[in-house]
Amino acid sequence: MNPVDGKEGPPDVCIIELGGTIGDIESMPFIEALGQFSYRVGPGNFCLVHVSLVPVLNVVGEQKTKPTQHSVRGLRGLGLVPNILACRSTEPLEENVKAKLSQFCHVPISNIINLHDVSNIWHIPLLLRDQRAHEAILKVLDLQFVGKVPRQPKLVEWTERASKFDKLKATVKIAMVGKYTGLSDSYLSVLKALLHASVAMGRKLVVEWVPSCDLEACAAKETPEAHKKAWKLLKGADGILVPGGFGDRGVQGKILAAKYARENNVPYLGICLGMQIAVIDFARSVMKLPGANSTEFDPDTTSPCVIFMPEGSKTHMGATMRLGSRRTYFNVTTCKSAKLYGNARFVDERHRHRYEVNPEMVPEFEKAGLSFVGKDESGTRMEIIELPNHKFFVGAQFHPEFKSRPGKPSPLFVGLIAASSGQLETLLQPSPIIVNPKPVPKPINGTVGPKKTMYPNGHAKKPLDSLVYFANGNVIHT
């Protein structure tokens, strides 16, 4: 019932994704719940889109429909009947394959949507539009018309963005320093945020994965080749990003990465732990506190730069994190971060952490030159750090990647890409303000009537009874 697009009133359609594979025991309770839900709300209020794989045997070269047939049969056996099939494949589906799927899965050919490989993932909505997937969904939910005007997807801006993505030539190279670099999905949100920002700044993103463990001094003896390669990648990057994480493995390598960026004026963005290790490096290198550390890694440190949250509990498992959207106030309005956020007085960003900068050491840090430009409403939690004389050295305790979108990239990620591609100064220049007054609506009979809210679904008992649901069959990751 709660809108998530910033508009007032309850939404017309709720979209739910159930991942995994049909038949897996983990998803059984959710399958049963959705089966009961579909029966309760009735026809016209529930649309099931089943995602499945249509593989090709390289030897034969034939598109095989059996995986989809079996997953649909399994889905039916669990009480759910798919209205639409979304078929993943490397190449466009042949017409005879669609006809076969329609016959054996009992789904109209017009409701069989093909999601084949494309040059970039932003072409997928255009692919769905070209196959009239929106019409199939709206027909199932009886939402085809509003005031007798056909609904058409508004994808002009999206089409331009997808086309722009394909035409990017100039590259920007970002070194991602972490300990899970062997599995890129571990940093998927960060990767997407980098992609959104790089396209917005007209650059083709190149991510160099740098295992933080390989940057450490011990790696020079144990794995000299990996050590040499890691440092070569780091030094060859246009910008450095250290994402969030937990545990002490690879932390020293991350600290070295932050130190390299600070000393060599290389653009740097630290997120959550990435901000904390930047603070630790500053304490060790600039403030000459060699024992500086986080109590997460060294509980007995003599210079605890980062400490466990005062209200947290170390004995109770679960619910010990500072989670969700929190407000950050800018106390330095001329800083780069505030300018990137459009000179806002405050921002709301999402958090996920247990440790934070020690507020008792903040005066010492600021005296040494580290600026805490963003704090919470109490002024005791440090949210954003900056080095004023650096090209771009920013750390955020929150996770800005969580709110990044293709059409609205995260400001801090835009700042990193802009600084790494030599566009930051231009980006931070104040743009001229052009005032275009909106026309005043003409009164009817002397008054301007209130805008009426229209609920297009005649079947719905409640505004949220219309639901589009995606249940994955055989899943492929690209």
Side-chain angles (χ1 to χ4, degrees), residues 347-407:
V347 293
D348 294 318
E349 293 282 7
R350 289 166 61 184
H351 293 67
R352 189 174 186 271
H353 67 98
R354 291 189 181 92
Y355 291 81
E356 59 190 17
V357 176
N358 187 353
E360 294 181 0
M361 292 187 67
V362 167
E364 300 176 48
F365 280 114
E366 291 182 327
K367 186 177 180 181
L370 185 63
S371 182
F372 294 89
V373 299
K375 301 179 181 180
D376 75 337
E377 63 278 359
S378 68
T380 57
R381 296 185 191 273
M382 305 302 114
E383 295 283 0
I384 306 176
I385 65 166
E386 280 191 22
L387 284 178
N389 298 323
H390 195 281
K391 182 190 295 185
F392 185 85
F393 194 95
V394 176
Q397 183 59 70
F398 49 79
H399 289 263
E401 70 272 20
F402 289 162
K403 294 181 71 172
S404 180
R405 300 291 182 268

Side-chain angles (χ1 to χ4, degrees), residues 49 119 176 203 279 319 345:
V49 182
S119 56
M176 183 90 79
R203 291 294 184 271
V279 171
R345 190 172 64 88

Side-chain angles (χ1 to χ4, degrees), residues 46-113:
F46 186 85
C47 176
L48 177 60
V49 182
H50 181 57
V51 184
S52 186
L53 172 66
V54 179
V56 174
L57 295 179
N58 291 332
V59 178
V60 182
E62 178 187 4
Q63 293 178 332
K64 307 299 291 184
T65 63
K66 282 297 181 184
T68 302
Q69 290 183 47
H70 280 284
S71 63
V72 170
R73 185 175 65 181
L75 196 61
R76 286 176 176 273
L78 295 169
L80 287 170
V81 180
N83 302 105
I84 297 171
L85 290 181
C87 300
R88 277 288 292 117
S89 61
T90 53
E91 299 293 336
L93 286 184
E94 300 169 5
E95 288 303 317
N96 66 312
V97 173
K98 282 189 176 182
K100 190 174 181 180
L101 286 170
S102 176
Q103 179 181 358
F104 289 103
C105 297
H106 305 167
V107 175
I109 291 182
S110 59
N111 286 16
I112 296 177
I113 310 301

